[in-house]
Amino acid sequence: MELKNILAYQEVDKKLFALEQSLAKDPNKQKCNQLNQTARDSQVRSGQLEEQASAILKEMDELQKTIASTKKHGQELLKLDPETLQEQELDEAIAKKDRVASNLIALDRRLTKLAENINQVLSDFNRTIKLYNEAKAQYQKYKAAYDAKLAETQPKMEALKSELEKLAKSVDAKTLDMYKAKRADRIFPVFVELIGNACGRCRMELSASAVSKLKTEHILTCENCRSIIYSKD
Ligand SMILES: [Zn+2]
């Protein structure tokens, strides 16, 4: 395998790779990703809170109906004239009135509890919406910073890509395909020199048989990092 041309290609590609990495690891870009995630989470959360609020409101509505009918029942009991009742009927009416009164107290407590719950849900909802809006506003700021870097970097990348296209013409197709496949898997540099008896990329020591294989075949794929090791000897 003729390595000179692919190594020249890789030298230029190294600059492109570095620019790609600097874009991928750009702090503004990472901040944008984080803020996007926050905005998405807030959206999901606000949807859940809306559902909770509507369930609580429905329960409050039903409770108020129950309270109204219980009160009505209590008023009907009050209308009874004790003079017209037998002793036993009077005892029953008093017992019913007591039950209605204690029911009303329990229903009222439940209603107060639900009112507290709905206030909590509404304040969570407002906080979530605020978080969402803040994330959106901040996103714009970091996005503008990243876009500025992108605008500055892209022409450099384009220039390198056209330089690579020219250099690719002098590399045989099989070698170039292999190179590009490794590159796509983020194995970079693709070709590394043997340093001592170790891979020039991951520094893993090769076995004696691997070294002798490398000497005869000139290249060898590193078992550890998948780079292609070459030897100048
Ligand atoms: Zn390696």
Side-chain angles (χ1 to χ4, degrees):
M1 183 188 279
E2 173 58 58
L3 284 175
K4 193 169 115 301
N5 292 338
I6 191 67
L7 290 178
Y9 180 96
Q10 180 169 267
E11 267 315 292
V12 175
D13 199 16
K14 201 177 271 179
K15 293 177 200 162
L16 182 62
F17 190 82
L19 290 178
E20 284 173 3
Q21 290 293 100
S22 92
L23 285 180
K25 289 177 184 166
D26 182 71
N28 291 314
K29 171 77 178 166
Q30 283 171 350
K31 195 76 190 154
C32 280
N33 291 342
Q34 272 173 23
L35 290 165
N36 245 337
Q37 191 56 49
T38 304
R40 274 199 296 272
D41 291 347
S42 307
Q43 257 178 334
V44 171
R45 181 82 186 121
S46 66
Q48 288 167 343
L49 289 166
E50 263 177 341
E51 278 175 25
Q52 278 180 27
S54 88
I56 294 171
L57 287 174
K58 199 172 158 228
E59 195 184 339
M60 284 175 93
D61 195 41
E62 278 160 12
L63 201 56
Q64 269 158 345
K65 281 179 197 155
T66 310
I67 288 171
S69 72
T70 307
K71 274 184 180 163
K72 205 175 150 208
H73 185 50
Q75 278 156 1
E76 274 158 14
L77 287 172
L78 287 176
K79 278 183 204 155
L80 292 176
D81 182 357
E83 302 293 325
T84 65
L85 298 176
Q86 301 290 332
E87 197 180 338
Q88 199 193 343
E89 289 173 323
L90 188 63
D91 286 348
E92 278 172 12
I94 290 169
K96 272 186 191 168
K97 201 166 73 64
D98 287 348
R99 275 203 300 278
V100 165
S102 68
N103 276 349
L104 275 175
I105 290 171
L107 290 168
D108 218 48
R109 275 199 195 121
R110 178 73 191 143
L111 192 63
T112 307
K113 184 75 196 145
L114 288 176
E116 282 168 17
N117 286 353
I118 193 91
N119 281 338
Q120 184 59 52
V121 168
L122 287 177
S123 94
D124 281 357
F125 181 80
N126 287 336
R127 204 170 45 240
T128 306
I129 293 296
K130 197 172 162 231
L131 203 65
Y132 174 83
N133 288 332
E134 280 169 2
K136 279 279 166 191
Q138 278 196 46
Y139 175 86
Q140 293 308 328
K141 198 180 84 184
Y142 289 104
K143 174 88 165 58
Y146 176 71
D147 284 347
K149 180 169 176 176
L150 196 62
E152 185 199 311
T153 311
Q154 262 169 343
K156 292 179 193 165
M157 289 172 72
E158 290 311 316
L160 289 167
K161 279 178 193 170
S162 60
E163 197 180 335
L164 284 173
E165 267 174 46
K166 281 176 212 152
L167 289 168
K169 287 174 189 147
S170 59
V171 182
D172 70 278
K174 198 174 148 228
T175 306
L176 193 64
D177 285 349
M178 184 172 69
Y179 179 95
K180 283 186 175 174
K182 298 259 177 201
R183 167 75 149 89
D185 288 340
R186 303 198 160 274
I187 296 167
F188 201 88
V190 175
F191 285 92
V192 288
E193 206 182 333
L194 181 73
I195 296 176
N197 279 335
C199 165
R201 180 163 171 244
C202 72
R203 306 286 154 158
M204 193 191 73
E205 277 301 313
L206 301 186
S207 65
S209 66
V211 174
S212 72
K213 193 173 176 228
L214 176 61
K215 302 287 177 189
T216 54
E217 294 178 12
H218 306 293
I219 59 165
L220 182 80
T221 299
C222 173
E223 285 177 9
N224 184 46
C225 74
R226 314 303 300 162
S227 279
I228 302 164
I229 307 167
Y230 65 90
S231 171
K232 278 188 172 170
D233 311 329

